[in-house]
Amino acid sequence: MTLTPHEVAVSQLATDQAVSLDRIKSLRFIKNNIIGNKTKKDLYIQLGIVSRLQDIISTKDDKDSQLKIQAVIVLGSFAFGNESNILALTNSGVVEPLLNCLNPSADPKLIEAAARTLNAIYASPKVSRQQLFMANHLHILVQLLDTFSSKHRPGQDIVQVHTAELVASILARCCETLEQQMQIADSGAIPLLMRLLASGISKSQEAALGALAALVKDNPELAQVIAQMRLEKGERPAPFILRLVRDKSPTMRLAAATCLTYLNRAGVIPEHNSDIMLTVLPILVKMLQLTGAVQEAAPQVLAHLIWESENMQKAVCDMEAIPKLASIISQMDEEDNVYGIVGQKDKLKENSLLALAAISQLKEDCRKQVIEAKVLSHIVSAMSHPSVGVRAAACQCTRSLSRSVKNLRTSLVDAGIENPLFQLLSDEDLGVLRSATATLCNIVLDVSPMKKTIMERGIVSKFVRMISYGDNVVRLNTVWAIKNLVFEAESDVKETVMRQFGYNNLVLLLNDSEPAVQEQALNLVRNLAHKREHDIEQVFRGLGNGQLLSIIEGKLSWDDPRLLEHALYVLVNIATGSEYHKQSILKRQGILRSVLRSMSHESAAIRVASIWVIINLTWPDDKVSHSVHECVTLLRSMGVEDRLLALNADHDLDVRDRVKTALQHFLMDQQQYGHNNGNGASSDQTGSGIGRHGYSSSRYHDPRQQQQQENIPSSSSSSGDAFGGGAGSTMDTTHIVTGGPGAGGHDRR
Amino acid sequence: MELDAHSPTCALHLSSMAIRKQQAKQRQFELLQRHQQKQQRRKLDPYEAVRVHPSKTFHLYTGSRFQGKQRSGSHSYDVVVDIKHVDLNDSFLCGYLHIKGLTEEYPELTTYFEAEIIGPKHSFFTRKWDADELVDEEHWTLFRPFECLSSSVFCGRDKHVDKGEGRASKCIYRHHYDSQTYDHRSEDVVFMRWKEHFLVPDHQVQGITGASFAGFYYICYSKVTGHIIGFYYHHSSEKFQQLLLAPVQERSFGSVEYR
């Protein structure tokens, strides 16, 4: 039996086999054979070379660093650019011995080689980062950033610099989670990275930018720390990095732009907003026309930078970024069709879609440009792409585009997004599921023609599964979608939805651990109890006797203004219901006290909501005039009327308008029953008191006209058309033309 | 109180100062809220959808409805307008316009329209849809609240309205119109152009016999009264067809928001 030279080489590596010189020779032979040759790499791995190499680098014997260095280099060669090989290496446990090679007392060349190999291994996101953060490894690694340390021998400068660059790159790749970011920061890396940034050596600066960017990404706390640091000459990092954005090297420009993007999103460099608009944005847009890695990453950075900023989205739109992105995406689709090379440029496609999603997120004009760029059909087909990243990004695009009544009614229906979207609601990838459920929220709006068809497909039955999926975002999106679905819906739609979804699930959502979910759940209750007495009764029954108001009472005591406002509007809507519904509110002192307190809230929207509660509770109704009187008396005794009078001078016009209506209810009650709640005011005094407090509005010059305009509900009018222009009443056009200062006297000339 | 200082004839600035103050306070409040949210130690989701809180100003909000008539010569048609989305920051709103009895083929016709709200984004000058400056002037000046602005907009000089006859006193505001600073959010009257785009429910229907929505409306909405007045313009249609709408008062409020 004869052995191939490869088998011979591998067998010579065994520790008990040969003298080290022969083993080094074998390693060199292997190294030269495998460089750039995937087949040979696979062959050697099958021959079991990995464990042999691992044995070599694991020996405690430090005398023979040449052998170790060669073994580490060969490992690096296997790892380079091939994910399955990387996993073959890590599965046999090479990371730990490689980390041990970084020992500061070791040969600097061995340290450099080990850092290079580790960097190649960590290029794969599938490799666990855990070991790096165990024992003393992180500390040792970070010390290697210190190129000015005196511990190293002279003449090793270049090796040290390379090592530092590799370490910065490793740190950038091991900085995914908040915990990892914090541990790296705690290990003292930041000042050393700053020094590397100011080193003046391009490659080192790029590496430092990469690590700093990874540290501040989506982490406002560290971003703040870094933005406040000073470089050696006393300069802050941001202006320094801004200069690097104009560097001649595209990779440097990208690295600098990325770092500034993350600092900007964290909101820690507001003084540079205009620099970023004027310098960074155009540079990123120009990168879209480059090739390779820079072109691939640029749209993702762009998306990140402009995601929250309307102004930046508009600016990028004006720079013609949309046609550029559209042509990247559509050209890629054509190439796929011709050559069948699906998968090679997935990341570029994903990032370009993400950029389109970002641009069209907030501005209708930008959405219009995306539609006009004729890229929608490509976006829709990308929703069924094999790559999860592309699917999720395409879905983000449809989410942005569906924030428009016009698109919902036209282009999105024409492009047929409904089918692929419905498919994605069963996707196994969390990212896809998140963006699909977000898009769904817009698709089920009352203005969307797809609402009806997607309901017929049984979307409601999917809701229960979606809220129990165990992801906060998916749960939030689901309750959001249900809320939008029942907005202004007919009673039977609401009943169908709640029968399938279950009030027990609604209770769970109302008490969810995430305030954002609670907020949407309250909104859902608000929409369920909207408009019809029958609908209100359904919610009362569904949530069980008294539970609805107990929940609302709980929410009212929270500090969160969003919860407060929606809880108040639930009350507003309930108070339009039957006598029983109103009484249920009035019976709860806790609720009434919270409403009173909310009337002085700093947010005008909350003041308006709380006054609406009062207006609806005191709404004149002949059929139950006595209980309205009792209600007014109760509220007056609690000090509601006094609070309203104080709000007569509110700086908010909407508040004042609502106050006026509410006070009219109190006034009417007073006129009918007299003021007998112990204030001691006789009816004469009351009359003058009204004027003093401003019952008769100073805003209208003719109080009679005002009364006519608002058609103040009188004791003889039925509650249905109590307000002028009410749903049932025919409008008096003469009244509009002449009535009020805003509309009067414009007769045709 | 500030309100007392207002000239009773000034329809534009009844409460602008108050609105400005309120906006400043509201903004401070929102900043505080945002700050509090950022305090939590948790990694941000960079692709979390930015919320588009639907705007609500007086009678203009998602789900609000206006009812009234369109007058064309001696004819009068029932009109209902449903507001579907309002984005004041983007000077945008849109909705459906239902009109009854216009043609036999469509006893009830619904169109989707979009509004350009005059302010930071859109000027009084239409410069499209076959409307030149003369057409603009001819229409805007039909609205009484526009009188204070008219000469400033079209002649480039300010003129204070003083009708004399005891009823009107001098307007204390300098109604200088500056396209850079004019903002509908601080005015009591909102001027808009409403342009219909397609039919609802079928957006692909092209021509309708006996009716057309090729033109657009000049619109004047008063936050104070809630009333909307409009004039339709299309170069080949009857001039000054008038839209008169009043808000349908609601006292129950749903909630809806894009994701």
Side-chain angles (χ1 to χ4, degrees), chain A residues 612 615 619 653-654 656-665 668 695 697 699-700 702-714 717 721-726 729 735 739-740, chain B residues 58-59 223-227 247 249:
Chain A
W612 263 116
I615 292 174
W619 197 262
L653 181 59
D654 213 2
R656 291 200 303 273
D657 249 24
R658 300 284 69 83
V659 165
K660 191 142 38 74
T661 312
L663 280 174
Q664 275 156 7
H665 292 178
M668 284 165 57
Y695 268 103
S697 163
R699 225 182 54 228
Y700 295 95
D702 183 355
R704 273 178 301 117
Q705 203 173 45
Q706 175 213 345
Q707 199 146 36
Q708 185 194 5
Q709 271 172 28
E710 303 222 346
N711 197 0
I712 299 163
S714 68
S717 74
D721 60 355
F723 261 71
S729 68
H735 161 77
Chain B
F58 300 86
H59 314 85
K223 290 179 184 173
V224 178
T225 63
H227 295 149
Q249 293 284 359

Side-chain angles (χ1 to χ4, degrees), chain B residues 34-251:
Chain B
R34 190 180 291 184
H35 180 72
Q36 282 168 347
Q37 277 165 16
K38 289 212 165 151
Q39 289 293 301
Q40 295 168 341
R41 193 173 186 181
R42 135 184 333 201
K43 205 168 169 185
L44 304 176
D45 174 2
Y47 302 119
E48 159 81 35
V50 178
R51 288 181 71 162
V52 249
H53 292 284
S55 310
K56 179 179 190 309
T57 184
F58 300 86
H59 314 85
L60 299 180
Y61 57 91
T62 306
S64 72
R65 170 172 276 205
F66 292 82
Q67 254 184 352
K69 303 221 178 278
Q70 170 151 334
R71 285 191 195 149
S72 168
S74 56
H75 297 283
S76 171
Y77 308 96
D78 286 340
V79 172
V80 170
V81 165
D82 285 318
I83 304 296
K84 290 300 180 185
H85 184 66
V86 184
D87 186 348
L88 294 176
N89 288 328
D90 203 20
S91 298
F92 175 85
L93 69 81
C94 66
Y96 297 163
L97 197 150
H98 314 271
I99 186 161
K100 268 191 185 163
L102 208 55
T103 76
E104 283 193 6
E105 192 187 349
Y106 291 96
E108 198 177 336
L109 201 60
T110 302
T111 55
Y112 165 84
F113 72 91
E114 288 179 358
E116 292 183 347
I117 303 177
I118 311 300
K121 198 174 160 186
H122 305 288
S123 93
F124 281 103
F125 301 108
T126 309
R127 297 198 181 105
K128 56 186 165 186
W129 303 331
D130 296 319
D132 57 19
E133 278 192 28
L134 280 177
V135 173
D136 286 336
E137 184 169 2
E138 195 176 28
H139 285 85
W140 289 128
T141 50
L142 293 171
F143 301 118
R144 189 180 156 273
F146 187 75
E147 281 178 23
C148 298
L149 290 173
S150 176
S151 61
S152 179
V153 172
F154 290 108
C155 311
R157 63 192 152 82
D158 301 346
K159 187 182 94 184
H160 283 200
V161 179
D162 189 352
K163 285 197 169 170
E165 291 161 33
R167 180 173 159 257
S169 56
K170 270 243 158 82
C171 175
I172 58 157
Y173 282 94
R174 291 187 57 79
H175 284 302
H176 174 68
Y177 167 75
D178 178 348
S179 59
Q180 298 297 310
T181 58
Y182 179 81
D183 190 345
H184 55 85
R185 284 171 288 197
S186 49
E187 306 289 334
D188 285 1
V189 174
V190 180
F191 297 101
M192 301 179 247
R193 278 182 291 267
W194 284 6
K195 172 81 184 133
E196 295 162 286
H197 287 275
F198 51 81
L199 284 187
V200 174
D202 189 349
H203 66 278
Q204 281 167 335
V205 171
Q206 287 302 325
I208 324 153
T209 333
S212 146
F213 52 84
F216 70 98
Y217 292 91
Y218 289 89
I219 295 285
C220 173
Y221 159 72
S222 162
K223 290 179 184 173
V224 178
T225 63
H227 295 149
I228 289 174
I229 301 166
F231 292 98
Y232 185 74
Y233 170 74
H234 181 247
H235 63 94
S236 62
S237 294
E238 184 198 316
K239 270 195 166 178
F240 309 126
Q241 294 181 56
Q242 197 178 9
L243 191 65
L244 296 162
L245 300 167
V248 174
Q249 293 284 359
E250 289 290 347
R251 56 193 198 101

Side-chain angles (χ1 to χ4, degrees), chain A residues 176 307 361 365 403 409 414 442 477 480 484 519 523 527 530-531 573 616 652 733 744 746, chain B residues 22 41 43-44 48 50-51 71 84 96 121 142 144-145 203 249 251-255 257 259:
Chain A
E176 267 298 306
W307 194 262
Q361 189 171 213
D365 295 343
R403 293 176 146 196
R409 289 220 69 94
D414 295 345
N442 302 339
N477 290 343
W480 201 305
N484 280 355
E519 180 195 347
N523 270 307
N527 285 349
H530 178 43
K531 266 191 178 158
N573 292 358
N616 282 348
D652 185 89
T733 45
H746 70 285
Chain B
Q22 166 217 335
R41 193 173 186 181
K43 205 168 169 185
L44 304 176
E48 159 81 35
V50 178
R51 288 181 71 162
R71 285 191 195 149
K84 290 300 180 185
Y96 297 163
K121 198 174 160 186
L142 293 171
R144 189 180 156 273
H203 66 278
Q249 293 284 359
R251 56 193 198 101
S252 172
F253 304 93
S255 160
E257 186 182 329
R259 184 73 178 116

Side-chain angles (χ1 to χ4, degrees), chain A residues 259-274:
Chain A
C259 197
L260 284 172
T261 290
Y262 296 155
L263 288 171
N264 181 267
R265 270 298 294 279
V268 295
I269 47 168
E271 67 277 20
H272 293 294
N273 270 344
S274 63

Side-chain angles (χ1 to χ4, degrees), chain A residues 231-507:
Chain A
L231 298 171
E232 275 161 25
K233 285 178 187 157
E235 194 181 15
R236 298 251 188 244
F240 184 86
I241 301 173
L242 262 168
R243 287 200 297 279
L244 295 179
V245 169
R246 298 192 194 88
D247 195 89
K248 59 182 190 306
S249 148
T251 47
M252 176 76 92
R253 291 203 298 272
L254 178 68
T258 308
C259 197
L260 284 172
T261 290
Y262 296 155
L263 288 171
N264 181 267
R265 270 298 294 279
V268 295
I269 47 168
E271 67 277 20
H272 293 294
N273 270 344
S274 63
D275 296 321
I276 285 170
M277 278 279 257
L278 297 172
T279 312
V280 181
L281 271 189
I283 283 172
L284 281 170
V285 172
K286 274 189 205 134
M287 283 178 191
L288 299 176
Q289 281 158 316
L290 299 178
T291 51
V294 174
Q295 187 203 27
E296 186 182 284
Q300 192 255 332
V301 180
L302 188 66
H304 211 106
L305 180 58
I306 66 174
W307 194 262
E308 284 182 328
S309 163
E310 262 189 74
N311 289 340
M312 288 196 200
Q313 287 160 24
K314 173 146 198 321
V316 167
C317 214
D318 293 344
M319 290 173 210
E320 302 283 315
I322 291 173
K324 288 181 185 125
L325 290 162
S327 85
I328 291 176
I329 294 167
S330 42
Q331 269 177 17
M332 227 179 293
D333 276 5
E334 277 163 31
E335 285 166 15
D336 283 357
N337 287 338
V338 177
Y339 306 110
I341 42 166
V342 178
Q344 284 200 351
K345 287 183 162 181
D346 287 355
K347 201 72 193 165
L348 176 61
K349 190 174 209 172
E350 175 185 337
N351 291 346
S352 303
L353 287 165
L354 212 48
L356 280 182
I359 296 174
S360 53
Q361 189 171 213
L362 294 169
K363 288 240 166 220
E364 186 71 10
D365 295 343
C366 302
R367 283 177 208 121
K368 207 173 147 197
Q369 272 204 30
V370 174
I371 301 294
E372 283 166 0
K374 303 235 178 291
V375 65
L376 185 56
S377 62
H378 299 284
I379 296 173
V380 174
S381 58
M383 290 170 85
S384 315
H385 198 275
S387 148
V388 289
V390 172
R391 289 204 297 277
C395 216
Q396 285 282 12
C397 267
T398 56
R399 183 186 62 71
S400 291
L401 293 173
S402 61
R403 293 176 146 196
S404 151
V405 179
K406 187 182 192 179
N407 290 347
L408 281 170
R409 289 220 69 94
T410 57
S411 43
L412 293 173
V413 188
D414 295 345
I417 70 161
E418 191 191 312
N419 274 328
L421 179 68
F422 200 80
Q423 292 297 316
L424 295 186
L425 291 172
S426 312
D427 205 281
E428 284 175 6
D429 180 74
L430 179 60
V432 175
L433 202 55
R434 284 177 168 184
S435 58
T437 47
T439 308
L440 179 68
C441 296
N442 302 339
I443 302 302
V444 298
L445 284 167
D446 64 324
V447 292
S448 158
M450 292 168 278
K451 171 179 181 165
K452 189 164 174 275
T453 45
I454 210 154
M455 277 186 75
E456 284 163 3
R457 281 166 169 243
I459 189 67
V460 180
S461 63
K462 284 191 175 241
F463 286 147
V464 179
R465 214 170 339 130
M466 276 150 49
I467 59 154
S468 44
Y469 187 81
D471 179 68
N472 289 347
V473 179
V474 172
R475 198 164 67 252
L476 174 65
N477 290 343
T478 306
V479 58
W480 201 305
I482 306 174
K483 170 199 83 168
N484 280 355
L485 181 71
V486 300
F487 173 71
E488 303 253 332
E490 297 298 326
S491 300
D492 59 328
V493 172
K494 293 181 186 178
E495 278 166 46
T496 310
V497 169
M498 289 316 292
R499 205 168 31 241
Q500 291 195 52
F501 184 67
Y503 276 96
N504 54 332
N505 281 319
L506 178 56
V507 173

